[in-house]
Amino acid sequence: MQTKQTVNEGLKRSYAVTISAGDITARVDAELKKIAPQVRMPGFRPGKVPVNLLKKMHGESVHAQVVNDAIRDSLDKLIRDEQLRPAMQPQVELGAGYEQGKDAELTISLEVLPVIEAPSTDGLKIERLVVPVTDAQIDEALAGIAGNNKSYKDAPKTKKAAEGDQLIIDFVGKLDGEPFEGGAAEDTALVLGSNMFIPGFEDQLVGVKTGQEKTITVTFPADYQADHLAGKEATFDVTVKAVKTETETVIDEDFAKNLGLDSLDKLKEIMKAQLEQQTAGLTRTQMKRQLLDQLAAGHSFEVPPSMVEAEFQQIWTQLQQEAAQDADPAAALKQIEDEKDEYRTIAERRVRLGLLLSEIGQANGVEVTSQEMGMLVQQAAAQYRPEDRQRFIEYVQSEPMVAAQLRAPLYEDKVVDFLFDKADITEREVTVEELQAAIEADETAEAAPAAKKAPAKKKAPAKKAETAADDAEAKPAKKPASGKAEKAPAKKAEASADKPAAKKAPAKKAAAKK
């Protein structure tokens, strides 16, 4: 292998690499000898097929695999010999005129990570905004639980059902007078006004009594998930087996025990811990923003354009998706287009902060343990179909850059925790509203071009102040309509000298239809 550097400009590097024809031929011959014992051909004993026939049968496919392996090995050797730290996956091009029997001429282009002197961790000052949990908040939370655990008692048989009452019903659905699959049920509990059933169903049951039979007519929505019912008119023969009225829910010892707890005090203790956890996430977000602002203000260095572009594309995709859901999509799209340069600046900030955190972590021995990494891989694998999970795990194990992307969020959090331990932290008690207002003020102050011209629907653009971790800790993410958990973008803080991807990850399992 012969190597010549052709470009060395800033963080850009390019090399001309030659793999000799003799080396490729030797590799092909060695591979053919390796597979010879497994080849079966009529008229020849196992392992005795002549080499010239092996080449005729398998030479082309073996040659292609050998060239691919030789390119990978050459890239690895180049990275080791030149002590390169690729920012992103290197680009490798095989000369257009290559054919068997000739030298393979490669062009390898990449961007390297900048050399960053380990930033000082001294002098960091952070204010922790603490929200004490009050008895009133605990009572409010308990009232919410009680509201979701309503109980009902039988009403007099003469009572007419009203909104808020619970019915116990049997029903049979019919299309053109014939029962349809999945349209019947017995002893179904239905609270009138809950909108659990298709539009019109509950409305026609207002006023029914225990023991009454009634046939109602409804039309399934045009977008109903069952195609054979979508947009169709149907009748339901309903038998009202009971009308029940809501009973007052008393939050006492019995209420706690019905939830499986020992006492009301234990329930209150759990609710207090949950409320503290919620505000702790907001507090950490606000502290992290202060920390990142101080790091960003104290460091300026060139960052790899490819990393900035990749980060920008993630931001841009998210913004376009949010704009498409806006009340006025055209106005929202125009707004983000007008601010495109500002979002590129935000992407550059994120990349720079990610590199800084990575450098701080490496300089101070911050690590993600093998046990922690194993848990990350298992959690990521759970997003795939059961039959694909092992293949995904093997894919991560064979592709260091993919593993680095999984590791980066946890690594970043551990570096942030390390810096919190080093910082001078003062505390101030605030209300949850004041804490939320402080976070919103940070968003506006750091980078909120959208505040200049709010779209018709007031929806905040993608968070821009943090590095890759963003706002994930602040509050639990809402589940999307599909029922599939949203996935955070891959992080890049730990980009390293890794191999280019050679395998394809298994397809993630599709979200279940409702």
Side-chain angles (χ1 to χ4, degrees):
M1 169 180 149
Q2 296 179 349
T3 303
K4 179 182 179 182
Q5 187 177 70
T6 57
V7 174
N8 186 343
E9 299 174 356
L11 301 178
K12 293 183 179 181
R13 303 288 186 274
S14 188
Y15 299 86
V17 177
T18 301
I19 306 173
S20 70
D23 183 24
I24 294 173
T25 299
R27 285 172 175 250
V28 170
D29 290 344
E31 188 64 26
L32 288 172
K33 287 181 180 179
K34 186 187 300 183
I35 68 172
Q38 287 81 44
V39 175
R40 300 290 186 268
M41 183 179 292
F44 297 94
R45 287 180 297 165
K48 299 300 182 180
V49 180
V51 174
N52 62 328
L53 289 180
L54 285 176
K55 285 185 177 180
K56 186 175 182 180
M57 292 174 59
H58 304 287
E60 187 171 339
S61 61
V62 168
H63 180 270
Q65 182 59 46
V66 161
V67 171
N68 186 60
D69 291 344
I71 290 174
R72 177 184 285 271
D73 292 344
S74 298
L75 176 59
D76 291 345
K77 188 174 187 304
L78 173 68
I79 289 172
R80 288 194 307 269
D81 292 350
E82 299 292 327
Q83 297 182 342
L84 301 173
R85 299 171 64 212
M88 298 285 283
Q89 195 164 287
Q91 295 182 342
V92 183
E93 295 181 5
L94 177 62
Y98 175 71
E99 57 186 41
Q100 291 191 37
K102 290 187 176 181
D103 293 345
E105 303 288 347
L106 308 179
T107 300
I108 299 177
S109 303
L110 68 156
E111 291 173 355
V112 296
L113 295 174
V115 176
I116 309 169
E117 292 186 8
S120 172
T121 58
D122 298 329
L124 296 172
K125 295 183 181 296
I126 297 174
E127 182 181 48
R128 178 189 286 122
L129 302 184
V130 180
V131 180
V133 176
T134 64
D135 291 341
Q137 288 175 307
I138 295 175
D139 291 341
E140 183 180 353
L142 291 175
I145 294 177
N148 291 327
N149 290 272
K150 294 179 180 178
S151 57
Y152 296 86
K153 65 178 180 180
D154 289 333
K157 292 185 177 181
T158 56
K159 176 178 173 25
K160 295 182 178 180
E163 186 169 324
D165 290 342
Q166 183 189 67
L167 305 183
I168 306 300
I169 59 174
D170 296 344
F171 60 84
V172 177
K174 299 178 181 179
L175 287 176
D176 299 324
E178 295 295 328
F180 58 85
E181 183 180 357
E186 296 181 351
D187 295 325
T188 298
L190 171 64
V191 176
L192 297 182
S194 64
N195 297 318
M196 288 178 56
F197 282 29
I198 60 175
F201 190 100
E202 295 172 26
D203 295 341
Q204 296 179 59
L205 293 177
V206 172
V208 298
K209 299 178 182 179
T210 300
Q212 183 176 343
E213 295 181 354
K214 184 173 185 178
T215 297
I216 61 178
T217 302
V218 294
T219 300
F220 283 91
D223 59 351
Y224 195 69
Q225 60 264 38
D227 294 338
H228 68 291
L229 299 176
K232 300 287 183 63
E233 184 178 87
T235 61
F236 283 86
D237 296 333
V238 180
T239 299
V240 182
K241 302 177 78 171
V243 175
K244 296 174 176 285
T245 56
E246 182 182 345
T247 60
E248 181 182 358
T249 301
V250 179
I251 302 175
D252 56 11
E253 296 293 329
D254 289 337
F255 176 75
K257 290 177 180 178
N258 286 335
L259 294 176
L261 300 173
D262 295 334
S263 64
L264 180 59
D265 287 341
K266 185 63 177 178
L267 176 58
K268 289 183 177 181
E269 181 183 326
I270 291 173
M271 294 312 304
K272 181 178 180 180
Q274 289 182 353
L275 291 169
E276 288 175 341
Q277 186 176 15
Q278 291 174 10
T279 56
L282 292 170
T283 295
R284 180 182 171 86
T285 295
Q286 200 266 343
M287 291 174 63
K288 184 174 178 180
R289 289 182 177 174
Q290 295 178 61
L291 172 67
L292 297 180
D293 280 348
Q294 292 180 54
L295 290 176
H299 301 88
S300 179
F301 51 85
E302 184 180 8
V303 293
S306 59
M307 293 182 72
V308 175
E309 180 62 24
E311 185 66 34
F312 170 75
Q313 289 302 327
Q314 288 184 352
I315 295 173
W316 195 244
T317 297
Q318 181 181 348
L319 288 170
Q320 287 179 317
Q321 290 171 348
E322 291 178 354
Q325 298 172 4
D326 199 272
D328 187 350
L333 286 169
K334 183 180 183 304
Q335 176 184 322
I336 64 173
E337 283 287 350
D338 292 343
E339 297 154 355
K340 202 167 188 176
D341 289 343
E342 294 181 64
Y343 289 114
R344 285 194 181 277
T345 301
I346 292 161
E348 182 176 333
R349 169 190 161 99
R350 286 187 179 184
V351 171
R352 182 173 289 108
L353 284 170
L355 294 174
L356 275 171
L357 291 174
S358 179
E359 194 67 33
I360 292 170
Q362 292 176 31
N364 291 280
V366 177
E367 294 181 349
V368 173
T369 67
S370 57
Q371 291 86 352
E372 290 170 332
M373 189 63 197
M375 291 181 62
L376 290 174
V377 174
Q378 291 294 337
Q379 290 169 0
Q383 299 180 60
Y384 294 84
R385 296 186 297 263
E387 62 270 24
D388 286 333
R389 289 172 187 171
Q390 183 57 38
R391 189 154 63 93
F392 172 79
I393 292 171
E394 293 171 356
Y395 168 71
V396 173
Q397 291 171 343
S398 67
E399 296 299 327
M401 189 165 284
V402 176
Q405 289 177 332
L406 281 177
R407 184 191 303 112
L410 177 58
Y411 183 81
E412 180 179 280
D413 281 342
K414 296 185 80 167
V415 176
V416 168
D417 288 337
F418 167 79
L419 292 172
F420 283 163
D421 289 340
K422 300 282 288 183
D424 178 10
I425 298 178
T426 57
E427 289 191 357
R428 177 163 61 94
E429 286 192 3
V430 295
T431 64
V432 67
E433 291 78 16
E434 290 172 332
L435 176 56
Q436 290 171 335
I439 292 174
E440 291 171 4
D442 285 343
E443 290 175 6
T444 303
E446 287 164 342
K452 300 173 187 174
K453 304 184 288 270
K457 177 182 176 183
K458 293 184 179 180
K459 175 176 266 193
K463 299 292 187 299
K464 296 159 261 180
E466 294 83 15
T467 58
D470 274 351
D471 234 359
E473 304 152 309
K475 48 190 173 183
K478 292 182 180 178
K479 184 179 288 187
S482 66
K484 182 176 179 181
E486 294 175 309
K487 186 176 181 184
K491 314 301 189 289
K492 308 178 189 68
E494 278 196 316
S496 59
D498 296 316
K499 300 178 181 178
K503 299 180 182 178
K504 187 176 182 181
K508 289 186 180 178
K509 61 186 178 185
K513 292 183 179 179
K514 289 190 175 181

